[in-house]
Amino acid sequence: MNFTYPDLSTVSHNGRWYETPTGIYYPSITTILGHTEPEEKRLSLQRWKDSLGEEEATRVSKAATDRGTNVHLLAERFFKGEDVEAPIDGRPVPPADLASFKALKTKLKAVNEVWGQECALYSEELEVAGRCDFVGVHRSIPSIIDFKTASRVKGHDDIHDYKLQLTFYAQAHNEMFGTSIERGVILMVADTGFPLEFVVDLREFTAPLRERVKSFWALTLNT
């Protein structure tokens, strides 16, 4: 299927905001989830930072972010039929990042059709926007797909917010293009090189997503 995805510009204001075609700015889904993160999760992250020290925690976080960005780029190249091992910003692909991609590649082969990559989406109903990794057909079922990296092997209980992200992307895509996507797929590779595939029934997360959006707007209007 062919869809024309909009090219939405963004601005930074206590998070990322997307300008929609009507000129209205909507907060990104990642901004919403970040601002409404459960207290327990925030405290856990702070304990981790305190245990490493600010400088080391910043270094580790940046390394993880860079790795995630590179693996995502390699996946994008793979689906475009480009040279996966071409330099990134004039430098060779880091061997560890290439190894992570090759592990993830075993899961990418289950994708049957590519509808779009790095797709900007927005929901007028939720007043939220964002950019999803991938929309297409996975194991013969229309799906929203996200590529993730992780420091360790994770389970379903560890990826609740990822599921909310996918739920938003599906709702926005369905609103914008009249699709009926109800399935999310998270393809993840851990530092150990172990690839993971999580298949999610996004209908189960519609209510929790709406609660987080509601909480975000309540916090925003009260600050």
Side-chain angles (χ1 to χ4, degrees):
M1 300 182 77
N2 294 316
F3 299 101
T4 301
Y5 296 100
D7 183 15
L8 304 183
S9 60
T10 62
V11 296
S12 295
H13 178 71
N14 199 20
R16 181 181 291 115
W17 295 68
Y18 285 80
E19 183 180 9
T20 67
T22 60
I24 299 174
Y25 285 86
Y26 290 160
S28 72
I29 182 61
T30 51
T31 294
I32 285 174
L33 295 177
H35 280 68
T36 59
E37 194 173 52
E39 184 66 16
E40 180 182 346
K41 188 173 180 179
R42 278 198 292 268
L43 291 174
S44 177
L45 178 60
Q46 189 58 53
R47 286 194 294 269
W48 174 79
K49 290 180 178 179
D50 292 342
S51 69
L52 291 182
E54 184 175 348
E55 185 175 337
E56 179 63 9
T58 299
R59 186 195 68 78
V60 171
S61 294
K62 184 179 184 306
T65 298
D66 289 347
R67 176 169 168 262
T69 299
N70 287 344
V71 171
H72 179 276
L73 174 61
L74 300 187
E76 188 175 337
R77 288 176 173 177
F78 171 77
F79 285 116
K80 288 181 176 179
E82 298 175 352
D83 181 7
V84 170
E85 298 189 30
I88 298 175
D89 295 330
R91 299 179 180 180
V93 179
D97 298 350
L98 185 58
S100 290
F101 164 74
K102 288 181 177 179
L104 188 65
K105 185 178 176 181
T106 62
K107 298 294 184 181
L108 301 183
K109 294 178 179 180
V111 173
N112 310 113
E113 293 180 30
V114 179
W115 292 357
Q117 298 192 74
E118 283 295 299
C119 308
L121 301 170
Y122 63 94
S123 165
E124 292 184 342
E125 180 184 348
L126 295 176
E127 298 183 309
V128 180
R131 190 178 297 277
C132 74
D133 289 349
F134 190 97
V135 185
V137 179
H138 177 268
R139 301 193 188 279
S140 302
I141 302 174
S143 305
I144 298 289
I145 303 173
D146 250 9
F147 309 121
K148 302 291 186 183
T149 55
S151 59
R152 60 180 177 81
V153 174
K154 294 188 176 183
H156 274 278
D157 291 342
D158 301 311
I159 58 171
H160 179 72
D161 279 11
Y162 293 164
K163 296 175 183 179
L164 297 183
Q165 265 187 283
L166 295 185
T167 303
F168 161 71
Y169 295 140
Q171 174 162 335
H173 199 280
N174 293 341
E175 276 186 41
M176 294 171 66
F177 301 106
T179 49
S180 301
I181 300 173
E182 299 176 338
R183 183 174 183 267
V185 181
I186 299 166
L187 301 179
M188 179 183 293
V189 60
D191 279 354
T192 58
F194 191 80
L196 301 162
E197 178 181 308
F198 301 92
V199 176
V200 185
D201 183 347
L202 301 178
R203 293 171 294 183
E204 299 178 12
F205 298 92
T206 298
L209 169 64
R210 290 177 181 276
E211 283 300 312
R212 292 286 286 273
V213 172
K214 182 179 178 180
S215 296
F216 171 82
W217 286 116
L219 288 169
T220 301
L221 294 174
N222 290 325
T223 55

